[in-house]
Amino acid sequence: MIRIREALDADWPALWAVLEPTFRRGDTYTFATDVTEDEARHAWTKVPTATFIACDEHGTVLGTYVIKPNQPGQGAHVSNCGYVVSEAARGLGVASALCEHSQQQALRMGFLAMQFNFVVSTNERAVRLWQRMGFAIVGTLPGAFRHPRHGFVDAFVMYKQLQ
């Protein structure tokens, strides 16, 4: 069973163990592959409005997401989220659970929509999942992501009204 809760400062070592392999791979996130732990911690736990983790019944961190306004001021009614699932938990429904939770959380926080600004086109599993969760590709950024194996690939902007 997956339990999702707000992350605590004490969760950082387990969070970093989930985030670091994804950031180092450089194939789905724009973080520099040599991002320091301090830089990553600031970006994942200090910049967002909230950070959540998904744990199994033993308390093992399986994944995480962050939520924040997509833009300030007149765009602050649209949320933005980022998700990372541990290598070991891929295919177990963690990303779906995190996305569902984030949409409910967004509504509780007063957001009316959710936008993903930069979904790498070669991350086909994520694109399919977000589409199954009701997100539409509303824009394509040609060659916007420098993939370590495929070179310059497209990134998608994906959007969903939450009401």
Side-chain angles (χ1 to χ4, degrees), residues 60-76:
T60 302
V61 175
L62 305 173
T64 178
Y65 80 86
V66 294
I67 188 167
K68 61 185 178 182
N70 191 54
Q71 298 293 326
Q74 300 307 93

PDB file of all heavy atoms in Angstrom, residues 60-76:
ATOM      1  N   THR A  60       9.635   2.975   3.351  1.00  0.00           N
ATOM      2  CA  THR A  60      10.619   3.206   2.295  1.00  0.00           C
ATOM      3  C   THR A  60      10.074   4.225   1.305  1.00  0.00           C
ATOM      4  O   THR A  60       8.942   4.098   0.826  1.00  0.00           O
ATOM      5  CB  THR A  60      10.930   1.891   1.543  1.00  0.00           C
ATOM      6  OG1 THR A  60      11.411   0.931   2.489  1.00  0.00           O
ATOM      7  CG2 THR A  60      11.959   2.103   0.448  1.00  0.00           C
ATOM      8  N   VAL A  61      10.871   5.241   0.994  1.00  0.00           N
ATOM      9  CA  VAL A  61      10.444   6.272   0.054  1.00  0.00           C
ATOM     10  C   VAL A  61      10.488   5.700  -1.366  1.00  0.00           C
ATOM     11  O   VAL A  61      11.521   5.230  -1.825  1.00  0.00           O
ATOM     12  CB  VAL A  61      11.317   7.536   0.169  1.00  0.00           C
ATOM     13  CG1 VAL A  61      10.930   8.556  -0.892  1.00  0.00           C
ATOM     14  CG2 VAL A  61      11.190   8.141   1.563  1.00  0.00           C
ATOM     15  N   LEU A  62       9.336   5.746  -2.031  1.00  0.00           N
ATOM     16  CA  LEU A  62       9.186   5.207  -3.388  1.00  0.00           C
ATOM     17  C   LEU A  62       9.201   6.292  -4.450  1.00  0.00           C
ATOM     18  O   LEU A  62       9.522   6.038  -5.603  1.00  0.00           O
ATOM     19  CB  LEU A  62       7.869   4.431  -3.498  1.00  0.00           C
ATOM     20  CG  LEU A  62       7.644   3.311  -2.494  1.00  0.00           C
ATOM     21  CD1 LEU A  62       6.230   2.768  -2.629  1.00  0.00           C
ATOM     22  CD2 LEU A  62       8.680   2.219  -2.669  1.00  0.00           C
ATOM     23  N   GLY A  63       8.799   7.491  -4.060  1.00  0.00           N
ATOM     24  CA  GLY A  63       8.704   8.586  -5.016  1.00  0.00           C
ATOM     25  C   GLY A  63       8.387   9.878  -4.307  1.00  0.00           C
ATOM     26  O   GLY A  63       8.164   9.908  -3.092  1.00  0.00           O
ATOM     27  N   THR A  64       8.353  10.936  -5.099  1.00  0.00           N
ATOM     28  CA  THR A  64       8.155  12.266  -4.537  1.00  0.00           C
ATOM     29  C   THR A  64       7.559  13.196  -5.587  1.00  0.00           C
ATOM     30  O   THR A  64       7.683  12.937  -6.793  1.00  0.00           O
ATOM     31  CB  THR A  64       9.507  12.834  -4.033  1.00  0.00           C
ATOM     32  OG1 THR A  64       9.314  14.154  -3.525  1.00  0.00           O
ATOM     33  CG2 THR A  64      10.545  12.867  -5.128  1.00  0.00           C
ATOM     34  N   TYR A  65       6.906  14.229  -5.106  1.00  0.00           N
ATOM     35  CA  TYR A  65       6.497  15.302  -6.011  1.00  0.00           C
ATOM     36  C   TYR A  65       6.565  16.636  -5.293  1.00  0.00           C
ATOM     37  O   TYR A  65       6.543  16.698  -4.063  1.00  0.00           O
ATOM     38  CB  TYR A  65       5.116  15.057  -6.625  1.00  0.00           C
ATOM     39  CG  TYR A  65       3.905  15.388  -5.784  1.00  0.00           C
ATOM     40  CD1 TYR A  65       3.361  16.678  -5.757  1.00  0.00           C
ATOM     41  CD2 TYR A  65       3.262  14.400  -5.043  1.00  0.00           C
ATOM     42  CE1 TYR A  65       2.232  16.969  -5.012  1.00  0.00           C
ATOM     43  CE2 TYR A  65       2.128  14.683  -4.297  1.00  0.00           C
ATOM     44  CZ  TYR A  65       1.623  15.966  -4.282  1.00  0.00           C
ATOM     45  OH  TYR A  65       0.505  16.262  -3.548  1.00  0.00           O
ATOM     46  N   VAL A  66       6.675  17.678  -6.096  1.00  0.00           N
ATOM     47  CA  VAL A  66       6.639  19.053  -5.594  1.00  0.00           C
ATOM     48  C   VAL A  66       5.466  19.757  -6.258  1.00  0.00           C
ATOM     49  O   VAL A  66       5.065  19.407  -7.373  1.00  0.00           O
ATOM     50  CB  VAL A  66       7.949  19.817  -5.878  1.00  0.00           C
ATOM     51  CG1 VAL A  66       9.102  19.208  -5.100  1.00  0.00           C
ATOM     52  CG2 VAL A  66       8.268  19.873  -7.357  1.00  0.00           C
ATOM     53  N   ILE A  67       4.923  20.744  -5.555  1.00  0.00           N
ATOM     54  CA  ILE A  67       3.820  21.537  -6.094  1.00  0.00           C
ATOM     55  C   ILE A  67       4.069  23.007  -5.782  1.00  0.00           C
ATOM     56  O   ILE A  67       4.578  23.340  -4.710  1.00  0.00           O
ATOM     57  CB  ILE A  67       2.454  21.065  -5.538  1.00  0.00           C
ATOM     58  CG1 ILE A  67       1.300  21.773  -6.248  1.00  0.00           C
ATOM     59  CG2 ILE A  67       2.386  21.190  -4.023  1.00  0.00           C
ATOM     60  CD1 ILE A  67      -0.067  21.154  -5.979  1.00  0.00           C
ATOM     61  N   LYS A  68       3.734  23.846  -6.742  1.00  0.00           N
ATOM     62  CA  LYS A  68       3.919  25.294  -6.593  1.00  0.00           C
ATOM     63  C   LYS A  68       3.053  25.988  -7.645  1.00  0.00           C
ATOM     64  O   LYS A  68       2.569  25.344  -8.587  1.00  0.00           O
ATOM     65  CB  LYS A  68       5.386  25.668  -6.798  1.00  0.00           C
ATOM     66  CG  LYS A  68       5.902  25.320  -8.185  1.00  0.00           C
ATOM     67  CD  LYS A  68       7.382  25.588  -8.311  1.00  0.00           C
ATOM     68  CE  LYS A  68       7.859  25.189  -9.703  1.00  0.00           C
ATOM     69  NZ  LYS A  68       9.284  25.378  -9.855  1.00  0.00           N
ATOM     70  N   PRO A  69       2.872  27.298  -7.518  1.00  0.00           N
ATOM     71  CA  PRO A  69       2.200  28.032  -8.588  1.00  0.00           C
ATOM     72  C   PRO A  69       3.067  27.977  -9.852  1.00  0.00           C
ATOM     73  O   PRO A  69       4.292  28.086  -9.768  1.00  0.00           O
ATOM     74  CB  PRO A  69       2.107  29.464  -8.059  1.00  0.00           C
ATOM     75  CG  PRO A  69       2.315  29.359  -6.591  1.00  0.00           C
ATOM     76  CD  PRO A  69       3.193  28.168  -6.380  1.00  0.00           C
ATOM     77  N   ASN A  70       2.424  27.821 -10.985  1.00  0.00           N
ATOM     78  CA  ASN A  70       3.186  27.788 -12.239  1.00  0.00           C
ATOM     79  C   ASN A  70       3.795  29.148 -12.556  1.00  0.00           C
ATOM     80  O   ASN A  70       4.898  29.238 -13.076  1.00  0.00           O
ATOM     81  CB  ASN A  70       2.292  27.326 -13.394  1.00  0.00           C
ATOM     82  CG  ASN A  70       3.099  27.014 -14.631  1.00  0.00           C
ATOM     83  OD1 ASN A  70       4.028  26.232 -14.583  1.00  0.00           O
ATOM     84  ND2 ASN A  70       2.755  27.650 -15.738  1.00  0.00           N
ATOM     85  N   GLN A  71       3.079  30.205 -12.223  1.00  0.00           N
ATOM     86  CA  GLN A  71       3.528  31.581 -12.439  1.00  0.00           C
ATOM     87  C   GLN A  71       3.072  32.422 -11.248  1.00  0.00           C
ATOM     88  O   GLN A  71       2.117  32.061 -10.562  1.00  0.00           O
ATOM     89  CB  GLN A  71       2.927  32.155 -13.737  1.00  0.00           C
ATOM     90  CG  GLN A  71       3.329  31.424 -14.995  1.00  0.00           C
ATOM     91  CD  GLN A  71       4.803  31.561 -15.310  1.00  0.00           C
ATOM     92  OE1 GLN A  71       5.409  32.591 -15.053  1.00  0.00           O
ATOM     93  NE2 GLN A  71       5.389  30.522 -15.875  1.00  0.00           N
ATOM     94  N   PRO A  72       3.700  33.546 -11.028  1.00  0.00           N
ATOM     95  CA  PRO A  72       3.229  34.432  -9.950  1.00  0.00           C
ATOM     96  C   PRO A  72       2.023  35.252 -10.413  1.00  0.00           C
ATOM     97  O   PRO A  72       1.651  35.231 -11.585  1.00  0.00           O
ATOM     98  CB  PRO A  72       4.446  35.335  -9.702  1.00  0.00           C
ATOM     99  CG  PRO A  72       5.135  35.395 -11.034  1.00  0.00           C
ATOM    100  CD  PRO A  72       4.925  34.037 -11.664  1.00  0.00           C
ATOM    101  N   GLY A  73       1.449  35.975  -9.486  1.00  0.00           N
ATOM    102  CA  GLY A  73       0.415  36.958  -9.811  1.00  0.00           C
ATOM    103  C   GLY A  73      -0.754  36.395 -10.580  1.00  0.00           C
ATOM    104  O   GLY A  73      -1.450  35.497 -10.124  1.00  0.00           O
ATOM    105  N   GLN A  74      -0.963  36.929 -11.766  1.00  0.00           N
ATOM    106  CA  GLN A  74      -2.144  36.596 -12.567  1.00  0.00           C
ATOM    107  C   GLN A  74      -2.130  35.162 -13.099  1.00  0.00           C
ATOM    108  O   GLN A  74      -3.132  34.700 -13.633  1.00  0.00           O
ATOM    109  CB  GLN A  74      -2.296  37.590 -13.722  1.00  0.00           C
ATOM    110  CG  GLN A  74      -2.461  39.049 -13.269  1.00  0.00           C
ATOM    111  CD  GLN A  74      -3.575  39.230 -12.270  1.00  0.00           C
ATOM    112  OE1 GLN A  74      -3.350  39.184 -11.064  1.00  0.00           O
ATOM    113  NE2 GLN A  74      -4.784  39.437 -12.763  1.00  0.00           N
ATOM    114  N   GLY A  75      -1.036  34.457 -12.948  1.00  0.00           N
ATOM    115  CA  GLY A  75      -0.974  33.048 -13.350  1.00  0.00           C
ATOM    116  C   GLY A  75      -0.914  32.091 -12.177  1.00  0.00           C
ATOM    117  O   GLY A  75      -0.756  30.881 -12.363  1.00  0.00           O
ATOM    118  N   ALA A  76      -1.069  32.617 -10.961  1.00  0.00           N
ATOM    119  CA  ALA A  76      -0.886  31.811  -9.756  1.00  0.00           C
ATOM    120  C   ALA A  76      -2.030  30.839  -9.478  1.00  0.00           C
ATOM    121  O   ALA A  76      -1.929  30.028  -8.565  1.00  0.00           O
ATOM    122  CB  ALA A  76      -0.676  32.722  -8.545  1.00  0.00           C
TER     123      ALA A  76
END
